[in-house]
Structure formats: structure tokens, C-alpha cells
Amino acid sequence: MPLDLDYVRSQFPALRTGVAFFDNAGGSQVLREVAERVADYMLTTSVQTGASYDLSREAGERVAEARATLSRLVNARRPEEIVLGSSTTVLMRFLATAMASRFQPGDEVVLTVFDHESNIGPWLTLESRGVVFKFWSVDRDSFEVDLAELDALMTERTKLVCVTHASNILGTIMPIAEIARRVHAAGAELCVDGVAYAPHRAIDVQALDVDYYVFSFYKTYGPHFAMLYGKYDRLLELDGLYHYFYGREKVPFKLEPGNTNYELAWGSAGIVHYLDRLGGGTGDFAAVARAFDDVAAQEEALSERLLGFLRERNDVRIVGRRESDRAIRVPTISFKVEGRDSAEVVRATDPLKIGIRFGDFHSRRLVEHLGLSDGNGVVRASMVHYNTVEEVDRLIGGLEAALG
């Protein structure tokens, strides 16, 4: 069934402003239920957990329930596999710190030039331990990634491979399950940044067989908050980041120094409830997957509308795949206009209540690698399922006027 857009849009109060939000890869709009849950927690159960009195026990139960609900979002085997934190960048820093002691001089980590810096910079801090870094690249002309290059980079010293699930510039979906198979065959672990993928497609960490998977809720219809999935056995092996009496076995709490944010955890669970309703209300991962099937169909139509316009222009270079196929890309569409500064193009659409953006979006290594840094980087329009074809047509009209 087609997505019920009237229902979908009614769940996001900010859409009433008339702004066409096309900067969703920078931050999506927030579900009403999420905001209401945050407020409710703060106004009714804002006490410290762990005490014996009733309200403290209720608060603790709410946080535990939220973690269990969020584990269903990614089909984790158990709630303890979910580590909560303030952002993907922070959680990656935590993970790199908790993993550092296992690395020996000469051990190797494979990074990419096409990731957001949050899945590059934290790992480079291990250089002081003698870790050797190798970079997996992307073709400058076709924007394609070669799995054979990954195979060639890995050796018996490779301990970790870090890769994005979808590029926040190219929009390309990476074959994570196949990458995981190759990485594990080489005896290494896999860490995936899912920030640019999570708002668009279902994440089944069991089917993907990833070791670690991280993304932020503020780009997935929630608050400025994030989660890290880790296989339980992998999390047990990590060093603790909390007080000394939080032992190695105290997963996931040893990786949440200072405790997690209770109200944001409770609020973020509203994302899962929303997806469950879209997917039939069965209260399981299957409902989440069904919801994202409908989301993907809506997003493919939006992508085709914009890509079709961009493909027809001889003065525009689409930075990424030119096809709208939901299996190969998310609706994050970047482009460069010949002879035009990207900032100039974007600012021409600002008065039309259209929110697009220019720059490198913290994927600076990729933009530099592609030779697109000059002229304020690329123009990016990033759509999600609550956007409409009519909004895309507004954007196209604004771009036509700006480009002439």
C-alpha cells in the first residue's frame, strides 16, 4: 500500500510551517510522540534511577523499556547490545577508546575516504599505539567503490574495517552484509556508520552480521541522541569507560560514563512506535521492516523527480549514482553546477522557504578526493519520506530560477 502521507505529515508538527525541509541528512524533523515522551519523562519521572522508592523504580523501568524498544529498531538479539550516547561522533570516540588496548604496533585498520569524519577521526587517535591505517577509495569519475580493493587492503594484521552504510554525499548504499562476510573471513571486525542510512531503510544487524553499528536519532526523527549496537560478546571484550567498579561484564553501562540521558532514551523509543504503526502495529521487527518498505517506495519517487530534472541539465554534474533505484541509493542527492558557486545556488532558494545546503557535510576527505572543494563544495538536497512531490517541484522551480 502507498504511504499514507496525510497521516505521516500529521506526526511532524514542524511541517505545518510551510518550509520544504530538504536538509534532512543534516537533521530531520522530530515526531510529536518523541517530543511528548521527552516532556512527559521530565515532568513525571525526573529522578535518579536505582533507588528503592516507587518513582525511582518506575524511572528505571522506563529507561530499560526504552533500551529494549530501541533494540527492536535494529533487530538486536538483546537490549544489552544497545549503548546510548549523545551523538555518533561521541559514541565512535568511546568505542575507539574502549578498544584501544587491544591494538599492538603494526596492527592495521582499514578506513575509507568516503565516510563522514566521525568514522575516521576517532580511529586515527590509535596512531599513537603504532596502528597502521589504510584507506579504501572511490573512483573519482564513476563514484563507484570496488570490493576487490578492500580485499587487497586487508592482511593478516588487519584488526578492524570501518565503513559507512550510505554516503552522506553520494547517497550510495554499501553492500554491508557482503563486506561483513569478507571482513570476517580475513579475521577482522567491522564497524559501520549508519547515520545516512538509518532514516531510510530497515537495519537488521543480525542479517548484516556487523560487529558494531552506530547512528544518530536526530537524523532519524528524534532528539539529539544516538545509539551504538555491538554484538554482546564484542562489548564484553571492550575496556570500561565508567568508574572502576563498573566491571568488564557490566554491559552496556560500562560504556555510558555518567549514565545515559534518561529522558532522551524514553523519547527516542517513540521513533519505533511510529514505525510500528506504519508497518501494521504488530510490535516486532517485521513491522519496522514493512514500514521502511513503504518509506523506500515514497523516497524513490521523490529521488526520481529531482534526479530526472538534474539529468536533463548539461550544466549540472550529479555527484553519485544517477538512478533513483531504492536498492542502490538513498534520497540524499548532491550535485555541482558548472561555473557556479554552490553557496550562490543554495542562497538563491532560501527566500522560497526551501531548506537545502552546500559544503562538504563533514565528509571533507571525500569532497577533497573528488576535487570538489572549490566553490563551497557541493549542493545537497536530502529528502525523507515525509517530503512530497509537490515540495520537490517547488525545489525544482527554485533551481530553475537560480540556474537560468
Side-chain angles (χ1 to χ4, degrees):
M1 295 291 294
L3 204 61
D4 183 347
L5 270 182
D6 288 338
Y7 172 76
V8 166
R9 290 179 66 84
S10 73
Q11 303 305 298
F12 295 90
L15 300 184
R16 298 173 184 167
T17 63
V19 175
F21 292 99
F22 291 123
D23 186 25
N24 296 289
S28 64
Q29 296 309 299
V30 179
L31 285 155
R32 175 190 288 108
E33 179 179 347
V34 169
E36 289 175 346
R37 287 172 65 92
V38 172
D40 176 65
Y41 189 97
M42 296 187 74
L43 295 173
T44 65
T45 52
S46 189
V47 298
Q48 183 58 282
T49 62
S52 58
Y53 61 92
D54 287 347
L55 197 57
S56 178
R57 285 191 286 107
E58 181 183 348
E61 288 165 0
R62 279 185 154 194
V63 176
E65 179 186 332
R67 195 185 302 272
T69 301
L70 292 169
S71 73
R72 179 156 53 88
L73 178 59
V74 296
N75 199 29
R77 289 180 177 83
R78 52 196 295 179
E80 294 86 354
E81 293 181 319
I82 305 302
V83 180
L84 300 172
S86 60
S87 70
T88 293
T89 298
V90 167
L91 286 173
M92 287 292 192
R93 288 275 177 179
F94 283 179
L95 182 58
T97 301
M99 197 183 292
S101 65
R102 70 170 61 175
F103 288 97
Q104 303 298 320
D107 286 345
E108 298 172 355
V109 172
V110 176
L111 306 173
T112 82
V113 300
F114 47 88
D115 261 280
H116 187 284
E117 192 65 18
S118 64
N119 202 20
I120 300 174
W123 302 109
L124 292 175
T125 62
L126 301 174
E127 191 169 23
S128 62
R129 304 188 69 89
V131 173
V132 176
F133 295 95
K134 298 180 177 180
F135 278 86
W136 187 10
S137 193
V138 59
D139 189 271
R140 288 182 172 87
D141 298 316
S142 68
F143 308 115
E144 294 299 318
V145 172
D146 187 355
L147 292 180
E149 182 180 344
L150 171 63
D151 292 337
L153 288 172
M154 292 187 293
T155 73
E156 68 280 356
R157 295 302 302 269
T158 304
K159 302 300 181 185
L160 181 70
V161 174
C162 303
V163 68
T164 186
H165 201 159
S167 167
N168 74 333
I169 298 277
L170 306 174
T172 304
I173 297 174
M174 297 293 291
I176 294 299
E178 174 59 19
I179 292 171
R181 185 189 68 78
R182 295 177 184 226
V183 169
H184 292 150
E189 295 178 8
L190 178 65
C191 177
V192 178
D193 177 353
V195 169
Y197 184 88
H200 308 291
R201 306 289 185 270
I203 301 161
D204 185 342
V205 292
Q206 295 188 56
L208 295 173
D209 195 26
V210 293
D211 298 289
Y212 308 100
Y213 195 103
V214 192
F215 65 94
S216 295
F217 294 124
Y218 74 95
K219 300 184 181 183
T220 316
Y221 322 117
H224 276 77
F225 201 48
M227 63 174 277
L228 179 158
Y229 158 82
K231 289 180 178 177
Y232 186 72
D233 290 345
R234 297 292 191 223
L235 297 182
L236 281 175
E237 294 169 356
L238 297 176
D239 292 339
L241 304 177
Y242 210 173
H243 304 310
Y244 75 92
F245 44 82
Y246 278 70
R248 184 175 292 270
E249 75 288 346
K250 201 161 186 177
V251 171
F253 310 109
K254 69 177 185 179
L255 301 170
E256 297 176 343
N259 293 328
T260 192
N261 185 304
Y262 302 146
E263 60 267 24
L264 296 187
W266 181 248
S268 297
I271 301 166
V272 188
H273 296 162
Y274 165 71
L275 292 168
D276 182 60
R277 291 193 297 274
L278 289 186
T282 53
D284 53 13
F285 178 72
V288 173
R290 287 192 298 270
F292 274 113
D293 285 342
D294 292 341
V295 163
Q298 166 70 2
E299 292 180 345
E300 184 176 78
L302 299 173
S303 294
E304 180 55 33
R305 194 75 156 210
L306 180 56
L307 287 169
F309 163 73
L310 296 174
R311 287 194 299 260
E312 292 299 313
R313 295 197 63 99
N314 294 326
D315 58 347
V316 170
R317 183 189 186 196
I318 298 171
V319 182
R321 289 172 172 168
R322 298 166 62 84
E323 303 84 6
S324 58
D325 185 351
R326 70 190 78 172
I328 65 172
R329 70 138 55 240
V330 297
T332 299
I333 297 171
S334 302
F335 59 94
K336 193 80 168 175
V337 181
E338 183 179 349
R340 300 289 291 273
D341 188 287
S342 293
E344 173 194 349
V345 174
V346 169
R347 287 173 178 147
T349 69
D350 288 343
L352 305 176
K353 297 184 77 174
I354 295 171
I356 59 175
R357 201 178 185 99
F358 63 89
D360 61 35
F361 311 103
H362 290 184
S363 290
R364 182 165 298 179
R365 295 171 198 268
L366 173 59
V367 171
E368 290 177 346
H369 172 76
L370 297 175
L372 299 174
S373 297
D374 292 345
N376 281 302
V378 300
V379 178
R380 186 181 74 178
S382 49
M383 300 170 284
V384 292
H385 69 290
Y386 55 59
N387 290 125
T388 67
V389 171
E390 291 75 19
E391 288 178 328
V392 178
D393 287 343
R394 277 175 57 194
L395 171 59
I396 290 171
L399 290 173
E400 285 180 323
L403 302 183

